[in-house]
Amino acid sequence: MILGKIIGKTSTKNFAFKVENGAHKLEYIQIMHSSGDFVLAQIEEIEKDSERTVAFCNIIGYRDEENKLQSLKSPLDPGVEVLKADDEFVREMLGLNHEVNSAYIGILDGRDNLKVHLDMNKILTKHVSVIAMSGSGKSYTVAVLLEELLQKKVPIVVIDPHGEYSSLKYPNDKDKEKSIKFGIEAKGFLKQIQEYSPDTKLNQEAKP
């Protein structure tokens, strides 16, 4: 689907296009570069006045012959058509392919058919941090990742001073609803998780 055409000044990092067909913020788009490669970009903001609607976009990049994601070396050309990116192109550009040793963490926003997996080997052998604004879902994201590790029987030690992850022992409400509706077992890790407290007396009392 053609969403519009590039207007004004462009750079190797961003550009704008006049919206001629429905477009929305954070939508993934693809544009043909003068090199002959399709480039993936994302709409960062949309502005509208009495005469036109303009979308401002950030360029993500393209895949080279070795399938490595690369940034542009020269800007996109004004007048080039901007297309809504299809799912397969987004999957290829963002490297969302599901591999055996991967952890499923959710669905790409706005793309119900695109599941997001993280490489377990990289997670377990590298340093990982989850950084975002307060209330944006950091703890939930970490909990989803911990669930994936627990399902794969990976030993984990969690230092949890706020008690945010003790609920992993029990199925959440959504899993309970699914188990009733579809007759599947709700996820809970009661048998795999052992909690310890700074109070050693409580630890002694909790021993089976």
PDB file of all heavy atoms in Angstrom, residues 111-144:
ATOM      1  N   ARG A 111       1.614  -5.274  15.034  1.00  0.00           N
ATOM      2  CA  ARG A 111       1.818  -6.386  14.098  1.00  0.00           C
ATOM      3  C   ARG A 111       1.463  -7.695  14.788  1.00  0.00           C
ATOM      4  O   ARG A 111       2.324  -8.390  15.335  1.00  0.00           O
ATOM      5  CB  ARG A 111       3.276  -6.422  13.622  1.00  0.00           C
ATOM      6  CG  ARG A 111       3.725  -5.165  12.910  1.00  0.00           C
ATOM      7  CD  ARG A 111       3.307  -5.191  11.452  1.00  0.00           C
ATOM      8  NE  ARG A 111       3.648  -3.966  10.772  1.00  0.00           N
ATOM      9  CZ  ARG A 111       3.835  -3.878   9.461  1.00  0.00           C
ATOM     10  NH1 ARG A 111       3.721  -4.948   8.709  1.00  0.00           N
ATOM     11  NH2 ARG A 111       4.111  -2.717   8.896  1.00  0.00           N
ATOM     12  N   ASP A 112       0.200  -8.060  14.778  1.00  0.00           N
ATOM     13  CA  ASP A 112      -0.277  -9.227  15.515  1.00  0.00           C
ATOM     14  C   ASP A 112       0.339 -10.535  15.048  1.00  0.00           C
ATOM     15  O   ASP A 112       0.340 -11.533  15.782  1.00  0.00           O
ATOM     16  CB  ASP A 112      -1.808  -9.327  15.414  1.00  0.00           C
ATOM     17  CG  ASP A 112      -2.497  -8.181  16.141  1.00  0.00           C
ATOM     18  OD1 ASP A 112      -1.837  -7.520  16.970  1.00  0.00           O
ATOM     19  OD2 ASP A 112      -3.697  -7.936  15.875  1.00  0.00           O
ATOM     20  N   ASN A 113       0.854 -10.567  13.807  1.00  0.00           N
ATOM     21  CA  ASN A 113       1.429 -11.805  13.274  1.00  0.00           C
ATOM     22  C   ASN A 113       2.926 -11.929  13.532  1.00  0.00           C
ATOM     23  O   ASN A 113       3.531 -12.937  13.139  1.00  0.00           O
ATOM     24  CB  ASN A 113       1.181 -11.889  11.762  1.00  0.00           C
ATOM     25  CG  ASN A 113      -0.295 -11.989  11.421  1.00  0.00           C
ATOM     26  OD1 ASN A 113      -1.058 -12.631  12.132  1.00  0.00           O
ATOM     27  ND2 ASN A 113      -0.701 -11.347  10.335  1.00  0.00           N
ATOM     28  N   LEU A 114       3.518 -10.917  14.149  1.00  0.00           N
ATOM     29  CA  LEU A 114       4.968 -10.931  14.352  1.00  0.00           C
ATOM     30  C   LEU A 114       5.307 -11.131  15.829  1.00  0.00           C
ATOM     31  O   LEU A 114       5.173 -10.221  16.646  1.00  0.00           O
ATOM     32  CB  LEU A 114       5.585  -9.629  13.838  1.00  0.00           C
ATOM     33  CG  LEU A 114       5.518  -9.410  12.330  1.00  0.00           C
ATOM     34  CD1 LEU A 114       6.205  -8.098  11.951  1.00  0.00           C
ATOM     35  CD2 LEU A 114       6.152 -10.564  11.565  1.00  0.00           C
ATOM     36  N   LYS A 115       5.763 -12.335  16.154  1.00  0.00           N
ATOM     37  CA  LYS A 115       6.183 -12.638  17.519  1.00  0.00           C
ATOM     38  C   LYS A 115       7.645 -12.246  17.707  1.00  0.00           C
ATOM     39  O   LYS A 115       8.456 -12.413  16.804  1.00  0.00           O
ATOM     40  CB  LYS A 115       5.997 -14.125  17.815  1.00  0.00           C
ATOM     41  CG  LYS A 115       4.537 -14.569  17.809  1.00  0.00           C
ATOM     42  CD  LYS A 115       4.411 -16.035  18.160  1.00  0.00           C
ATOM     43  CE  LYS A 115       2.944 -16.458  18.203  1.00  0.00           C
ATOM     44  NZ  LYS A 115       2.806 -17.888  18.561  1.00  0.00           N
ATOM     45  N   VAL A 116       7.951 -11.731  18.890  1.00  0.00           N
ATOM     46  CA  VAL A 116       9.311 -11.272  19.188  1.00  0.00           C
ATOM     47  C   VAL A 116      10.006 -12.295  20.074  1.00  0.00           C
ATOM     48  O   VAL A 116       9.497 -12.647  21.144  1.00  0.00           O
ATOM     49  CB  VAL A 116       9.293  -9.897  19.884  1.00  0.00           C
ATOM     50  CG1 VAL A 116      10.714  -9.442  20.212  1.00  0.00           C
ATOM     51  CG2 VAL A 116       8.597  -8.861  18.999  1.00  0.00           C
ATOM     52  N   HIS A 117      11.153 -12.777  19.611  1.00  0.00           N
ATOM     53  CA  HIS A 117      11.964 -13.729  20.374  1.00  0.00           C
ATOM     54  C   HIS A 117      13.354 -13.149  20.603  1.00  0.00           C
ATOM     55  O   HIS A 117      13.882 -12.437  19.754  1.00  0.00           O
ATOM     56  CB  HIS A 117      12.103 -15.060  19.618  1.00  0.00           C
ATOM     57  CG  HIS A 117      10.822 -15.807  19.461  1.00  0.00           C
ATOM     58  ND1 HIS A 117       9.909 -15.521  18.471  1.00  0.00           N
ATOM     59  CD2 HIS A 117      10.302 -16.845  20.169  1.00  0.00           C
ATOM     60  CE1 HIS A 117       8.888 -16.346  18.574  1.00  0.00           C
ATOM     61  NE2 HIS A 117       9.092 -17.153  19.587  1.00  0.00           N
ATOM     62  N   LEU A 118      13.916 -13.440  21.760  1.00  0.00           N
ATOM     63  CA  LEU A 118      15.283 -13.030  22.068  1.00  0.00           C
ATOM     64  C   LEU A 118      16.189 -14.253  22.067  1.00  0.00           C
ATOM     65  O   LEU A 118      15.787 -15.339  22.494  1.00  0.00           O
ATOM     66  CB  LEU A 118      15.337 -12.353  23.444  1.00  0.00           C
ATOM     67  CG  LEU A 118      14.504 -11.078  23.615  1.00  0.00           C
ATOM     68  CD1 LEU A 118      14.666 -10.538  25.032  1.00  0.00           C
ATOM     69  CD2 LEU A 118      14.900 -10.023  22.601  1.00  0.00           C
ATOM     70  N   ASP A 119      17.399 -14.057  21.607  1.00  0.00           N
ATOM     71  CA  ASP A 119      18.382 -15.136  21.543  1.00  0.00           C
ATOM     72  C   ASP A 119      18.824 -15.513  22.960  1.00  0.00           C
ATOM     73  O   ASP A 119      19.456 -14.721  23.662  1.00  0.00           O
ATOM     74  CB  ASP A 119      19.587 -14.673  20.717  1.00  0.00           C
ATOM     75  CG  ASP A 119      20.578 -15.793  20.435  1.00  0.00           C
ATOM     76  OD1 ASP A 119      20.736 -16.688  21.286  1.00  0.00           O
ATOM     77  OD2 ASP A 119      21.197 -15.770  19.367  1.00  0.00           O
ATOM     78  N   MET A 120      18.484 -16.731  23.381  1.00  0.00           N
ATOM     79  CA  MET A 120      18.803 -17.174  24.742  1.00  0.00           C
ATOM     80  C   MET A 120      20.304 -17.244  24.979  1.00  0.00           C
ATOM     81  O   MET A 120      20.783 -16.948  26.070  1.00  0.00           O
ATOM     82  CB  MET A 120      18.184 -18.553  24.983  1.00  0.00           C
ATOM     83  CG  MET A 120      16.676 -18.565  25.003  1.00  0.00           C
ATOM     84  SD  MET A 120      16.018 -18.027  26.582  1.00  0.00           S
ATOM     85  CE  MET A 120      16.293 -19.478  27.562  1.00  0.00           C
ATOM     86  N   ASN A 121      21.052 -17.640  23.968  1.00  0.00           N
ATOM     87  CA  ASN A 121      22.501 -17.738  24.131  1.00  0.00           C
ATOM     88  C   ASN A 121      23.107 -16.373  24.457  1.00  0.00           C
ATOM     89  O   ASN A 121      24.000 -16.258  25.300  1.00  0.00           O
ATOM     90  CB  ASN A 121      23.137 -18.305  22.859  1.00  0.00           C
ATOM     91  CG  ASN A 121      22.771 -19.761  22.629  1.00  0.00           C
ATOM     92  OD1 ASN A 121      22.626 -20.517  23.581  1.00  0.00           O
ATOM     93  ND2 ASN A 121      22.609 -20.140  21.373  1.00  0.00           N
ATOM     94  N   LYS A 122      22.625 -15.330  23.783  1.00  0.00           N
ATOM     95  CA  LYS A 122      23.138 -13.989  24.042  1.00  0.00           C
ATOM     96  C   LYS A 122      22.698 -13.491  25.419  1.00  0.00           C
ATOM     97  O   LYS A 122      23.450 -12.822  26.125  1.00  0.00           O
ATOM     98  CB  LYS A 122      22.670 -13.027  22.956  1.00  0.00           C
ATOM     99  CG  LYS A 122      23.305 -13.284  21.602  1.00  0.00           C
ATOM    100  CD  LYS A 122      22.832 -12.274  20.563  1.00  0.00           C
ATOM    101  CE  LYS A 122      23.501 -12.523  19.226  1.00  0.00           C
ATOM    102  NZ  LYS A 122      23.024 -11.574  18.176  1.00  0.00           N
ATOM    103  N   ILE A 123      21.460 -13.809  25.799  1.00  0.00           N
ATOM    104  CA  ILE A 123      20.942 -13.378  27.097  1.00  0.00           C
ATOM    105  C   ILE A 123      21.759 -13.987  28.237  1.00  0.00           C
ATOM    106  O   ILE A 123      22.089 -13.320  29.217  1.00  0.00           O
ATOM    107  CB  ILE A 123      19.454 -13.766  27.250  1.00  0.00           C
ATOM    108  CG1 ILE A 123      18.595 -12.950  26.279  1.00  0.00           C
ATOM    109  CG2 ILE A 123      18.976 -13.550  28.688  1.00  0.00           C
ATOM    110  CD1 ILE A 123      17.156 -13.399  26.235  1.00  0.00           C
ATOM    111  N   LEU A 124      22.098 -15.258  28.105  1.00  0.00           N
ATOM    112  CA  LEU A 124      22.758 -15.984  29.188  1.00  0.00           C
ATOM    113  C   LEU A 124      24.267 -15.801  29.219  1.00  0.00           C
ATOM    114  O   LEU A 124      24.904 -16.099  30.218  1.00  0.00           O
ATOM    115  CB  LEU A 124      22.422 -17.472  29.083  1.00  0.00           C
ATOM    116  CG  LEU A 124      20.939 -17.830  29.258  1.00  0.00           C
ATOM    117  CD1 LEU A 124      20.712 -19.310  28.989  1.00  0.00           C
ATOM    118  CD2 LEU A 124      20.441 -17.458  30.646  1.00  0.00           C
ATOM    119  N   THR A 125      24.833 -15.315  28.134  1.00  0.00           N
ATOM    120  CA  THR A 125      26.294 -15.172  28.092  1.00  0.00           C
ATOM    121  C   THR A 125      26.750 -13.721  28.035  1.00  0.00           C
ATOM    122  O   THR A 125      27.944 -13.451  28.042  1.00  0.00           O
ATOM    123  CB  THR A 125      26.876 -15.911  26.864  1.00  0.00           C
ATOM    124  OG1 THR A 125      26.306 -15.379  25.663  1.00  0.00           O
ATOM    125  CG2 THR A 125      26.575 -17.402  26.947  1.00  0.00           C
ATOM    126  N   LYS A 126      25.805 -12.789  28.002  1.00  0.00           N
ATOM    127  CA  LYS A 126      26.139 -11.365  27.955  1.00  0.00           C
ATOM    128  C   LYS A 126      25.456 -10.634  29.105  1.00  0.00           C
ATOM    129  O   LYS A 126      24.598 -11.176  29.800  1.00  0.00           O
ATOM    130  CB  LYS A 126      25.673 -10.748  26.622  1.00  0.00           C
ATOM    131  CG  LYS A 126      26.215 -11.431  25.381  1.00  0.00           C
ATOM    132  CD  LYS A 126      27.686 -11.146  25.164  1.00  0.00           C
ATOM    133  CE  LYS A 126      28.172 -11.742  23.857  1.00  0.00           C
ATOM    134  NZ  LYS A 126      29.600 -11.494  23.614  1.00  0.00           N
ATOM    135  N   HIS A 127      25.857  -9.372  29.302  1.00  0.00           N
ATOM    136  CA  HIS A 127      25.165  -8.521  30.276  1.00  0.00           C
ATOM    137  C   HIS A 127      23.882  -7.992  29.651  1.00  0.00           C
ATOM    138  O   HIS A 127      23.873  -7.573  28.499  1.00  0.00           O
ATOM    139  CB  HIS A 127      26.060  -7.342  30.681  1.00  0.00           C
ATOM    140  CG  HIS A 127      27.324  -7.768  31.375  1.00  0.00           C
ATOM    141  ND1 HIS A 127      27.325  -8.308  32.636  1.00  0.00           N
ATOM    142  CD2 HIS A 127      28.617  -7.744  30.964  1.00  0.00           C
ATOM    143  CE1 HIS A 127      28.572  -8.587  32.992  1.00  0.00           C
ATOM    144  NE2 HIS A 127      29.375  -8.263  31.991  1.00  0.00           N
ATOM    145  N   VAL A 128      22.796  -8.006  30.419  1.00  0.00           N
ATOM    146  CA  VAL A 128      21.499  -7.541  29.918  1.00  0.00           C
ATOM    147  C   VAL A 128      20.907  -6.542  30.899  1.00  0.00           C
ATOM    148  O   VAL A 128      20.957  -6.754  32.117  1.00  0.00           O
ATOM    149  CB  VAL A 128      20.506  -8.721  29.734  1.00  0.00           C
ATOM    150  CG1 VAL A 128      19.145  -8.209  29.304  1.00  0.00           C
ATOM    151  CG2 VAL A 128      21.045  -9.714  28.717  1.00  0.00           C
ATOM    152  N   SER A 129      20.358  -5.455  30.394  1.00  0.00           N
ATOM    153  CA  SER A 129      19.645  -4.502  31.245  1.00  0.00           C
ATOM    154  C   SER A 129      18.338  -4.129  30.575  1.00  0.00           C
ATOM    155  O   SER A 129      18.238  -4.103  29.348  1.00  0.00           O
ATOM    156  CB  SER A 129      20.492  -3.243  31.492  1.00  0.00           C
ATOM    157  OG  SER A 129      20.770  -2.583  30.269  1.00  0.00           O
ATOM    158  N   VAL A 130      17.321  -3.861  31.383  1.00  0.00           N
ATOM    159  CA  VAL A 130      16.017  -3.413  30.885  1.00  0.00           C
ATOM    160  C   VAL A 130      15.803  -2.008  31.416  1.00  0.00           C
ATOM    161  O   VAL A 130      15.636  -1.804  32.627  1.00  0.00           O
ATOM    162  CB  VAL A 130      14.883  -4.353  31.350  1.00  0.00           C
ATOM    163  CG1 VAL A 130      13.541  -3.866  30.822  1.00  0.00           C
ATOM    164  CG2 VAL A 130      15.153  -5.782  30.888  1.00  0.00           C
ATOM    165  N   ILE A 131      15.820  -1.028  30.529  1.00  0.00           N
ATOM    166  CA  ILE A 131      15.780   0.379  30.934  1.00  0.00           C
ATOM    167  C   ILE A 131      14.602   1.072  30.273  1.00  0.00           C
ATOM    168  O   ILE A 131      14.419   0.984  29.054  1.00  0.00           O
ATOM    169  CB  ILE A 131      17.089   1.103  30.543  1.00  0.00           C
ATOM    170  CG1 ILE A 131      18.294   0.396  31.185  1.00  0.00           C
ATOM    171  CG2 ILE A 131      17.042   2.572  30.956  1.00  0.00           C
ATOM    172  CD1 ILE A 131      19.630   0.907  30.693  1.00  0.00           C
ATOM    173  N   ALA A 132      13.794   1.762  31.069  1.00  0.00           N
ATOM    174  CA  ALA A 132      12.658   2.517  30.532  1.00  0.00           C
ATOM    175  C   ALA A 132      12.119   3.421  31.643  1.00  0.00           C
ATOM    176  O   ALA A 132      12.554   3.346  32.793  1.00  0.00           O
ATOM    177  CB  ALA A 132      11.569   1.573  30.027  1.00  0.00           C
ATOM    178  N   MET A 133      11.158   4.250  31.282  1.00  0.00           N
ATOM    179  CA  MET A 133      10.548   5.154  32.260  1.00  0.00           C
ATOM    180  C   MET A 133       9.744   4.372  33.293  1.00  0.00           C
ATOM    181  O   MET A 133       9.312   3.244  33.043  1.00  0.00           O
ATOM    182  CB  MET A 133       9.629   6.154  31.548  1.00  0.00           C
ATOM    183  CG  MET A 133      10.344   7.118  30.623  1.00  0.00           C
ATOM    184  SD  MET A 133       9.205   8.202  29.724  1.00  0.00           S
ATOM    185  CE  MET A 133       8.468   9.091  31.108  1.00  0.00           C
ATOM    186  N   SER A 134       9.537   4.980  34.441  1.00  0.00           N
ATOM    187  CA  SER A 134       8.750   4.358  35.502  1.00  0.00           C
ATOM    188  C   SER A 134       7.336   4.070  35.008  1.00  0.00           C
ATOM    189  O   SER A 134       6.697   4.917  34.381  1.00  0.00           O
ATOM    190  CB  SER A 134       8.697   5.292  36.718  1.00  0.00           C
ATOM    191  OG  SER A 134       7.930   4.727  37.747  1.00  0.00           O
ATOM    192  N   GLY A 135       6.868   2.841  35.266  1.00  0.00           N
ATOM    193  CA  GLY A 135       5.514   2.469  34.876  1.00  0.00           C
ATOM    194  C   GLY A 135       5.380   1.971  33.453  1.00  0.00           C
ATOM    195  O   GLY A 135       4.274   1.697  32.991  1.00  0.00           O
ATOM    196  N   SER A 136       6.506   1.841  32.733  1.00  0.00           N
ATOM    197  CA  SER A 136       6.427   1.444  31.323  1.00  0.00           C
ATOM    198  C   SER A 136       6.425  -0.068  31.118  1.00  0.00           C
ATOM    199  O   SER A 136       6.239  -0.541  29.998  1.00  0.00           O
ATOM    200  CB  SER A 136       7.584   2.070  30.537  1.00  0.00           C
ATOM    201  OG  SER A 136       8.827   1.646  31.070  1.00  0.00           O
ATOM    202  N   GLY A 137       6.651  -0.838  32.196  1.00  0.00           N
ATOM    203  CA  GLY A 137       6.565  -2.294  32.081  1.00  0.00           C
ATOM    204  C   GLY A 137       7.875  -3.045  32.184  1.00  0.00           C
ATOM    205  O   GLY A 137       7.997  -4.174  31.712  1.00  0.00           O
ATOM    206  N   LYS A 138       8.878  -2.451  32.851  1.00  0.00           N
ATOM    207  CA  LYS A 138      10.175  -3.128  33.001  1.00  0.00           C
ATOM    208  C   LYS A 138      10.037  -4.424  33.784  1.00  0.00           C
ATOM    209  O   LYS A 138      10.546  -5.473  33.365  1.00  0.00           O
ATOM    210  CB  LYS A 138      11.177  -2.194  33.696  1.00  0.00           C
ATOM    211  CG  LYS A 138      11.514  -0.937  32.932  1.00  0.00           C
ATOM    212  CD  LYS A 138      12.599  -0.126  33.625  1.00  0.00           C
ATOM    213  CE  LYS A 138      12.182   0.350  35.012  1.00  0.00           C
ATOM    214  NZ  LYS A 138      11.034   1.291  34.957  1.00  0.00           N
ATOM    215  N   SER A 139       9.375  -4.355  34.925  1.00  0.00           N
ATOM    216  CA  SER A 139       9.232  -5.540  35.780  1.00  0.00           C
ATOM    217  C   SER A 139       8.454  -6.638  35.070  1.00  0.00           C
ATOM    218  O   SER A 139       8.793  -7.831  35.171  1.00  0.00           O
ATOM    219  CB  SER A 139       8.531  -5.176  37.092  1.00  0.00           C
ATOM    220  OG  SER A 139       9.308  -4.271  37.838  1.00  0.00           O
ATOM    221  N   TYR A 140       7.416  -6.249  34.326  1.00  0.00           N
ATOM    222  CA  TYR A 140       6.622  -7.233  33.604  1.00  0.00           C
ATOM    223  C   TYR A 140       7.462  -7.913  32.529  1.00  0.00           C
ATOM    224  O   TYR A 140       7.404  -9.136  32.353  1.00  0.00           O
ATOM    225  CB  TYR A 140       5.396  -6.568  32.978  1.00  0.00           C
ATOM    226  CG  TYR A 140       4.509  -7.532  32.228  1.00  0.00           C
ATOM    227  CD1 TYR A 140       3.609  -8.339  32.906  1.00  0.00           C
ATOM    228  CD2 TYR A 140       4.594  -7.653  30.841  1.00  0.00           C
ATOM    229  CE1 TYR A 140       2.797  -9.247  32.230  1.00  0.00           C
ATOM    230  CE2 TYR A 140       3.797  -8.556  30.151  1.00  0.00           C
ATOM    231  CZ  TYR A 140       2.902  -9.337  30.850  1.00  0.00           C
ATOM    232  OH  TYR A 140       2.120 -10.239  30.175  1.00  0.00           O
ATOM    233  N   THR A 141       8.267  -7.116  31.814  1.00  0.00           N
ATOM    234  CA  THR A 141       9.124  -7.666  30.770  1.00  0.00           C
ATOM    235  C   THR A 141      10.113  -8.666  31.353  1.00  0.00           C
ATOM    236  O   THR A 141      10.326  -9.755  30.802  1.00  0.00           O
ATOM    237  CB  THR A 141       9.890  -6.543  30.047  1.00  0.00           C
ATOM    238  OG1 THR A 141       8.956  -5.634  29.457  1.00  0.00           O
ATOM    239  CG2 THR A 141      10.818  -7.102  28.979  1.00  0.00           C
ATOM    240  N   VAL A 142      10.723  -8.312  32.487  1.00  0.00           N
ATOM    241  CA  VAL A 142      11.669  -9.220  33.137  1.00  0.00           C
ATOM    242  C   VAL A 142      10.954 -10.494  33.595  1.00  0.00           C
ATOM    243  O   VAL A 142      11.491 -11.606  33.469  1.00  0.00           O
ATOM    244  CB  VAL A 142      12.355  -8.523  34.328  1.00  0.00           C
ATOM    245  CG1 VAL A 142      13.176  -9.525  35.128  1.00  0.00           C
ATOM    246  CG2 VAL A 142      13.249  -7.392  33.839  1.00  0.00           C
ATOM    247  N   ALA A 143       9.721 -10.351  34.101  1.00  0.00           N
ATOM    248  CA  ALA A 143       8.960 -11.522  34.546  1.00  0.00           C
ATOM    249  C   ALA A 143       8.678 -12.465  33.376  1.00  0.00           C
ATOM    250  O   ALA A 143       8.771 -13.692  33.514  1.00  0.00           O
ATOM    251  CB  ALA A 143       7.651 -11.078  35.197  1.00  0.00           C
ATOM    252  N   VAL A 144       8.338 -11.913  32.222  1.00  0.00           N
ATOM    253  CA  VAL A 144       8.102 -12.735  31.027  1.00  0.00           C
ATOM    254  C   VAL A 144       9.377 -13.476  30.643  1.00  0.00           C
ATOM    255  O   VAL A 144       9.344 -14.670  30.312  1.00  0.00           O
ATOM    256  CB  VAL A 144       7.618 -11.854  29.852  1.00  0.00           C
ATOM    257  CG1 VAL A 144       7.597 -12.665  28.550  1.00  0.00           C
ATOM    258  CG2 VAL A 144       6.232 -11.290  30.139  1.00  0.00           C
TER     259      VAL A 144
END
